[in-house]
Amino acid sequence: MKSTIKVMTVVGARPNLMKAAPLAHAIEKYNDFGNYSTSIAHTVVHTGQHYDKNMSDSFFETLGIRAPDFYLGVGSGSHGHQIGRTMIEFEKVLLEQNPDWLVLLGDVNATAACSIIAKKYLFKVAHIEAGLRSNDWSMPEEINRIVTDRISDLLFTPCRFADANLEAEGIPRERIRRVGNIMIDTLEANREKAGRMDVTEVIARNLVEHGEGGGPVNPPVLSGRDFVLLTMHRPSNVDRADVLKSLLEVIVRISRRYPLIFPVHPRTRGKISEFGLWSAISGEESLIITQPLGYLEFLCLNMYARVMMTDSGGLQEEACMLGTPCLILRDNTERPVTLVENGGTNRLVSNEPEKVIEGFEWAVEFPREERRPELWDGHTAERIVESLVEASFL
Ligand code: UD1
């Protein structure tokens, strides 16, 4: 007789979706295989932390994930609002559905909120992307990671640094499974398609025109690797007017040397408006401002960019895999495996203007060459599914 394992996955924000997709596909594959005495019943809960089409729905479409089974509609707001409402709404779904495993991804507010609720009711929790540590307690994500790791039953790690962090914190070894980086499964599945896209068309489709806050109406035609790609949204870079202003000034300086494409995150857009800083960047010929891009569109730009500048976590990893020299606009990273000194393509430059410029001089000369940390092979989700099934019968 076939037994069924009930697995529930939670997504909340954009970076969860690139990780949820391969897991959903690997579960479908496991069920379709037909040889097993076990099947997996999979449900997906979306907390609704990200809700714009281009922050959420477009990723479901592009990555072929079916619509969530439950949508909690938490929306934007303070940490208290997001975490509190997620807990209240998630508790109802969790108790009604009664899964064997709750699978949580990454380090967003949904991850921490749902892990706490699940453990209070003694559900089994598995955390994908466990063990990352920036050791920077000013990052909301660091708190989310530590809380979730501390109470998870299974910790799926992407690299040896993550294993070492967990062991140093006293997490029992038998809970840790090094499986590789699940987001790279999505990259491997999509890179060919993204590589066939045209950079100039991607920009034209997503351009934000003057009226909406700057950027040339007719961007330059781009070819080859002759552009820089920038994203930033971390509170440490955008929540203070003086810091954001000096970063925008550096961006303008760099864009005068190489066309610079800047897909603006909603949080950053809000802060630029709040601080009255659009005038610092609008009208710059080669500073190309776009709305947040779709998954394939951004991957395409990452594949062809000469230099990436970012404060994102996932983009550090994607840049490393693709070989794009990448400047991290932070003082620390929870992803040291992507750093140049550890065989990657990333360099920490902070948000200080002179350090960014110095890093830029290094990056433009850095040869593009793919780097692949151990187990970042496109098969992480399959290893996770096998491991979940195995652990279900322990
Ligand atoms: C969240 C994650 C962060 C991740 C980032 C990726 C936490 C603590 N932070 O940060 O780790 O790197 O997502 O994007 O979970 N907004 C919209 N539309 C949306 C979503 C947000 O306009 O669909 C605006 C709202 O004004 C909102 C602001 O963006 O207040 C910030 O969104 P929020 O979800 O609070 O945090 P992020 O900065 O996106």
Side-chain angles (χ1 to χ4, degrees):
M1 211 184 64
K2 224 172 177 155
S3 57
T4 302
I5 303 172
K6 287 164 73 177
V7 173
M8 176 179 277
T9 307
V10 177
V11 296
R14 181 173 63 176
N16 290 155
L17 304 177
M18 292 75 111
K19 298 163 197 166
L23 182 69
H25 297 147
I27 290 176
E28 281 164 23
K29 198 168 147 196
Y30 181 91
N31 286 336
D32 287 348
F33 225 82
N35 291 334
Y36 300 105
S37 57
T38 309
S39 68
I40 301 173
H42 188 209
T43 46
V44 177
V45 179
H46 192 321
T47 67
Q49 177 177 346
H50 284 177
Y51 45 83
D52 283 355
K53 182 165 173 37
N54 56 6
M55 296 296 284
S56 180
D57 290 4
S58 85
F59 288 80
F60 278 83
E61 288 159 23
T62 305
L63 303 177
I65 329 172
R66 67 181 158 82
D69 301 284
F70 301 94
Y71 188 78
L72 307 184
V74 166
S76 295
S78 65
H79 287 283
H81 167 98
Q82 281 182 353
I83 290 182
R85 279 207 62 194
T86 301
M87 285 180 165
I88 292 168
E89 298 304 322
F90 180 67
E91 184 178 62
K92 298 174 199 163
V93 176
L94 181 73
L95 295 179
E96 183 199 292
Q97 293 297 309
N98 196 25
D100 297 304
W101 284 100
L102 176 67
V103 179
L104 299 169
L105 306 151
D107 54 19
V108 301
N109 282 341
T111 314
C114 296
S115 67
I116 291 173
I117 287 298
K119 273 329 279 183
K120 295 230 177 196
Y121 289 104
L122 307 180
F123 284 92
K124 281 191 285 187
V125 173
H127 184 208
I128 298 179
E129 205 183 82
L132 302 189
R133 295 290 180 269
S134 64
N135 297 311
D136 176 354
W137 287 88
S138 70
M139 289 180 76
E141 294 80 4
E142 185 73 356
I143 299 166
N144 292 340
R145 290 178 200 119
I146 288 175
V147 166
T148 303
D149 283 345
R150 190 68 190 84
I151 58 183
S152 289
D153 300 272
L154 264 186
L155 296 104
F156 293 116
T157 64
C159 62
R160 66 191 156 88
F161 293 96
D163 293 13
N165 290 333
L166 294 174
E167 285 178 40
E169 289 172 16
I171 303 282
R173 188 70 197 91
E174 60 272 17
R175 287 196 205 159
I176 306 168
R177 306 272 192 288
R178 182 160 3 133
V179 289
N181 188 329
I182 195 164
M183 212 184 55
I184 300 305
D185 292 13
T186 303
L187 183 144
E188 290 295 357
N190 289 285
R191 64 195 291 180
E192 214 181 289
K193 214 190 231 174
R196 288 197 298 269
M197 293 174 106
D198 182 88
V199 172
T200 307
E201 281 174 24
V202 168
I203 294 167
R205 270 199 298 276
N206 292 285
L207 200 62
V208 175
E209 300 194 355
H210 282 294
E212 288 174 69
V217 178
N218 298 308
V221 175
L222 300 174
S223 63
R225 293 186 57 198
D226 285 333
F227 65 92
V228 176
L229 185 56
L230 163 79
T231 77
M232 58 176 183
H233 70 281
R234 295 268 168 222
S236 56
N237 285 334
V238 307
D239 280 10
R240 270 181 46 191
D242 56 335
V243 173
L244 181 55
K245 183 165 181 281
S246 74
L247 270 169
L248 293 176
E249 285 165 2
V250 169
I251 289 158
V252 166
R253 274 168 72 186
I254 292 176
S255 78
R256 289 177 181 167
R257 288 190 46 202
Y258 287 94
L260 188 147
I261 305 173
F262 181 15
V264 184
H265 187 284
R267 178 191 192 88
T268 310
R269 188 194 316 129
K271 292 293 175 188
I272 296 177
S273 297
E274 185 186 327
F275 301 142
L277 290 173
W278 284 112
S279 57
I281 49 176
S282 63
E284 283 297 323
E285 283 278 296
S286 299
L287 177 48
I288 302 160
I289 296 175
T290 73
Q291 56 184 335
L293 303 178
Y295 178 77
L296 290 172
E297 292 177 324
F298 198 92
L299 183 55
C300 164
L301 298 194
N302 193 354
M303 290 171 84
Y304 296 114
R306 186 171 184 120
V307 176
M308 162 90 80
M309 296 167 60
T310 191
D311 58 14
S312 149
L315 292 181
Q316 295 170 37
E317 298 174 336
E318 290 174 344
C320 174
M321 272 292 297
L322 297 170
T324 314
C326 178
L327 304 178
I328 306 173
L329 302 170
R330 292 171 41 190
D331 297 331
N332 48 58
T333 177
E334 59 290 327
R335 291 163 162 92
V337 74
T338 67
L339 293 175
V340 174
E341 52 269 39
N342 295 320
T345 63
N346 286 243
R347 204 171 130 174
L348 284 164
V349 292
S350 83
N351 56 17
E352 287 172 39
E354 290 321 311
K355 289 191 183 153
V356 176
I357 295 289
E358 191 195 314
F360 184 75
E361 301 302 341
W362 163 83
V364 281
E365 299 301 331
F366 190 83
R368 174 183 271 278
E369 194 191 316
E370 291 189 15
R371 318 289 164 113
R372 190 187 291 273
E374 196 191 345
L375 290 177
W376 292 24
D377 58 0
H379 297 287
T380 292
E382 292 159 31
R383 286 189 282 272
I384 290 173
V385 171
E386 293 289 342
S387 186
L388 274 176
V389 173
E390 191 196 302
S392 301
F393 297 108
L394 287 180

